[in-house]
Amino acid sequence: MEIRNTGYDHPDAAKLTAQVQREYAKRYGDGDATPMDPAHFDPPRGRFLIGYLDGGPVVTGGWRARETSPEGFSDGDAELKRMYVVPQARGRGLARRILAELEATAAAEGRIRMVLETGTLQPEAIALYSSCGYTPIPKFGLYREDPLSVCLGKPLVGGA
């Protein structure tokens, strides 16, 4: 797999983001309404990566820098967003590979913790993150009051 830093507004990112939004709608009845700005994923305060197999985009994910806020973030957080693997490429370890790259780039930019919000209707996502060392943290973000929301975090090695 070739991993490219594309930016959130790249056409392949838009394609995969639309697919993940449809996945959320199937599971939860609607897409993720968290405000997203392509500039949030620009280095050095973020990254948006796409993994390609045979020239086609198959996996995506990004992080954006966060600081202490009423939404529940802490200084030094990197918020993971839009992790997704197309159905035909699942089960190959691609999400794990792109997650490791996202963690490495966040740590290299001085971020000290990766945080994410997922949901109880995504057990495969929870299993992936748990197997990669993520543990429950206090809820944050737009869905922090939603009973289906699950927030996880992991200290980043080499962060500030």
Side-chain angles (χ1 to χ4, degrees), residues 42-146:
D42 290 344
R45 305 257 321 144
R47 292 287 187 291
F48 201 83
L49 306 178
I50 297 178
Y52 292 82
L53 285 178
D54 300 321
V58 296
V59 59
T60 188
W63 66 266
R64 58 187 179 175
R66 301 300 240 168
E67 307 304 338
T68 299
S69 74
E71 290 183 299
F73 295 102
S74 297
D75 286 347
D77 281 350
E79 181 189 17
L80 188 68
K81 295 301 293 180
R82 300 298 186 257
M83 283 286 294
Y84 178 72
V85 180
V86 298
Q88 63 271 28
R90 293 178 183 165
R92 299 183 190 179
L94 303 179
R96 191 175 302 277
R97 286 180 58 197
I98 208 156
L99 178 60
E101 183 69 16
L102 290 165
E103 291 172 353
T105 60
E109 295 296 351
R111 300 284 99 192
I112 59 175
R113 181 176 74 151
M114 186 72 82
V115 299
L116 65 96
E117 188 271 335
T118 187
T120 58
L121 302 181
Q122 295 169 265
E124 63 282 279
I126 294 169
L128 167 71
Y129 298 128
S130 295
S131 74
C132 291
Y134 287 77
T135 58
I137 61 172
K139 289 185 176 184
F140 64 85
L142 183 65
Y143 297 101
R144 63 188 173 278
E145 302 299 327
D146 190 317

Side-chain angles (χ1 to χ4, degrees), residues 30 41 57 61 126 152 158:
D30 204 356
F41 298 93
I126 294 169
L152 304 171

Side-chain angles (χ1 to χ4, degrees), residues 20-32 82 122:
V20 72
Q21 288 286 41
R22 286 192 295 275
E23 184 84 20
Y24 295 151
K26 280 183 2 191
R27 294 181 189 220
Y28 298 100
D30 204 356
D32 179 2
R82 300 298 186 257
Q122 295 169 265

